[in-house]
Amino acid sequence: MLTSAGIQPAPPEEFTDLRITREAPGQRSKAALPSPDLALCPQCRQELHDPQNRRYRYPFITCTHCGPRYSILGQLPYEREHSAMNRFTPCPHCAVEYANPDDRRFFSQTNSCPQCGIHFSVSQHNSGARPAENETTLQLISEQLSAGKILAVKGIGGYLLLCDATAPAVIRTLRERKHRPSKPLAILYRDEEAVLRDFHLTTGEATLLNSAEAPIVLLRPRKQTVQPLALQEIAPGLHRIGVMLAYNPLLDLIASDFGKPLVATSGNIAGSPILYEQEQAEQHLPAIADYLIHHNRPILIPVDDSVSQLTPIHQTPILLRRARGYAPTLTGYRPVSSGVILATGALLKSSFALAINGNVFVSQFLGNTERYETRQAYQ
């Protein structure tokens, strides 16, 4: 299977254009690799905040360098009709970008904009989801976070619970509602500059935070933080705190508008896998969150946030939880057998490995399979 590319001489031929052709129906499918979800790239981030750009403050901006992949994939190969994007018909502007080889969004399967793309709906206290304009929803999120509310926001691989990381009482309420008395929570920041005001950050840690995988990274807080972080409520008794940057455009806008660090933790019931379907969220999350923020791009494969740390001397990354950005991991190991082999993982921190077509893949973290909901997700 192709995992690299090279250049070699070929006989000259004349072409009048560049096109990507599809296999005819019934033609044998080629082996293809699934791609992990990728964090918001610098170019899309710049466009997101550019008032002159037609995707200004569009919470689902993507290009070929970033955006969801694995979490919206229904089958291989990765093409729009095989993904959760198949329900969105591109507008003329997006269609031109998709067909232009000189455009950064050439053949970008997740390409969309405010005219043809993804939209929000909002629910509160089991009231049922109501459609809402993008900007109205973003304003509501910022207002409710400032008012000390807890929000459940549909992200890349599932719902995230968000609240003010500087409000001890709100975090205690989150813990009580989620039945999570002491397990540490992560903090979400808009950018590296904001992280540096509150945490010590090595070059390696900064690189990891800003990577395309964008995991949660365990960092040591400064003795004097700029923001009055509720550290004892966030990670009781711990000397290192999980920190992540806003890895998708929606989280980037939320963090930018709110202006303070946010607690960000999986939207689930304690011990259960992350919730990712709207029906599940509306059934379980009103007991935890004051508002639920949905969007109409389905999540087909739930993926939690990855967690990593660096070794103190050699600054070598260690994955504590392999999930978004890393899964499914292609190990590079070549199995002895040519058959398909499934290796099932541990009980409490479950994952699995799959040997197929001469490659070995490792799944995302799935959770504790003592719980029925996790066994369903695993299956």
Side-chain angles (χ1 to χ4, degrees):
M1 189 181 295
L2 178 65
T3 56
S4 61
I7 298 175
Q8 62 183 19
E13 295 183 62
E14 290 189 4
F15 298 93
T16 58
D17 61 1
L18 173 65
R19 66 183 66 182
I20 297 176
T21 58
R22 301 185 184 278
E23 291 179 334
Q27 193 172 350
R28 183 181 177 183
S29 297
K30 305 294 191 296
L33 293 172
S35 172
D37 303 302
L38 303 175
L40 183 66
C41 71
Q43 295 95 327
C44 282
R45 194 183 300 272
Q46 188 276 328
E47 292 176 350
L48 181 68
H49 295 280
D50 179 5
Q52 305 305 315
N53 192 278
R54 72 186 189 90
R55 291 187 176 87
Y56 174 59
R57 291 181 63 82
Y58 175 54
F60 308 99
I61 186 173
T62 66
C63 70
T64 51
H65 302 151
C66 65
R69 302 285 192 273
Y70 180 53
S71 60
I72 63 169
L73 185 61
Q75 68 179 74
L76 290 169
Y78 171 64
E79 293 178 354
R80 194 177 182 107
E81 61 264 34
H82 297 159
S83 77
M85 290 299 298
N86 64 356
R87 62 168 59 189
F88 302 99
T89 302
C91 68
H93 289 294
C94 287
V96 168
E97 292 172 333
Y98 184 86
N100 181 6
D102 294 325
D103 197 286
R104 192 173 88 254
R105 293 184 171 90
F106 174 57
F107 214 60
S108 173
Q109 310 303 336
T110 53
N111 197 26
S112 67
C113 74
Q115 281 65 50
C116 63
I118 304 150
H119 294 285
F120 287 119
S121 60
V122 178
S123 60
Q124 179 188 18
H125 303 310
N126 295 309
S127 62
R130 304 180 310 277
E133 295 294 328
N134 288 351
E135 199 57 42
T136 302
T137 304
L138 291 169
Q139 183 178 353
L140 171 73
I141 293 171
S142 185
E143 290 172 350
Q144 296 305 317
L145 289 171
S146 298
K149 301 298 184 182
I150 299 167
L151 275 63
V153 178
K154 184 178 178 182
I156 295 293
Y159 283 81
L160 278 179
L161 295 168
L162 303 178
C163 70
D164 186 348
T166 68
V170 178
I171 300 170
R172 287 195 293 268
T173 299
L174 171 62
R175 287 192 175 280
E176 290 168 4
R177 293 179 181 177
K178 198 179 179 185
H179 306 294
R180 184 172 175 168
S182 59
K183 196 174 179 180
L185 305 168
I187 308 178
L188 174 72
Y189 282 87
R190 158 73 172 86
D191 54 28
E192 181 184 330
E193 183 180 350
V195 175
L196 274 169
R197 291 196 289 264
D198 295 335
F199 289 87
H200 298 286
L201 193 62
T202 66
T203 301
E205 289 165 342
T207 299
L208 198 55
L209 279 173
N210 287 287
S211 67
E213 294 80 12
I216 296 170
V217 182
L218 299 188
L219 301 177
R220 296 187 181 276
R222 297 183 184 276
K223 290 184 178 180
Q224 296 295 327
T225 61
V226 172
Q227 301 280 0
L229 294 173
L231 294 181
Q232 283 308 306
E233 284 74 20
I234 292 169
L238 297 181
H239 300 294
R240 287 186 295 181
I241 314 294
V243 173
M244 62 177 163
L245 297 183
Y247 55 81
N248 70 46
L250 174 55
L251 291 180
D252 184 285
L253 290 170
I254 292 173
S256 298
D257 292 349
F258 185 58
K260 292 191 291 183
L262 289 159
V263 164
T265 186
S266 301
N268 61 355
I269 308 301
S272 297
I274 189 169
L275 297 171
Y276 67 100
E277 295 177 324
Q278 183 169 326
E279 183 179 352
Q280 294 175 326
E282 290 183 339
Q283 180 181 355
H284 297 291
L285 292 182
I288 304 174
D290 300 296
Y291 284 86
L292 276 64
I293 312 299
H294 315 284
H295 60 72
N296 62 339
R297 181 182 63 204
I299 296 171
L300 303 183
I301 301 176
V303 186
D304 223 317
D305 292 317
S306 295
V307 181
S308 181
Q309 69 180 64
L310 269 67
T311 57
I313 297 176
H314 299 291
Q315 292 286 283
T316 302
I318 299 174
L319 271 179
L320 305 177
R321 185 167 73 189
R322 183 191 303 273
R324 176 189 51 77
Y326 294 96
T329 301
L330 176 64
T331 64
Y333 171 75
R334 297 292 176 176
V336 176
S337 171
S338 60
V340 177
I341 302 172
L342 173 66
T344 57
L347 176 72
L348 299 179
K349 302 287 187 181
S350 62
S351 62
F352 62 85
L354 181 68
I356 185 169
N357 293 329
N359 294 287
V360 177
F361 298 92
V362 179
S363 80
Q364 70 270 35
F365 162 86
L366 292 163
N368 181 357
T369 48
E370 285 186 326
R371 294 191 65 99
Y372 174 68
E373 298 88 351
T374 306
R375 291 201 295 274
Q376 286 183 307
Y378 190 103
Q379 193 169 13

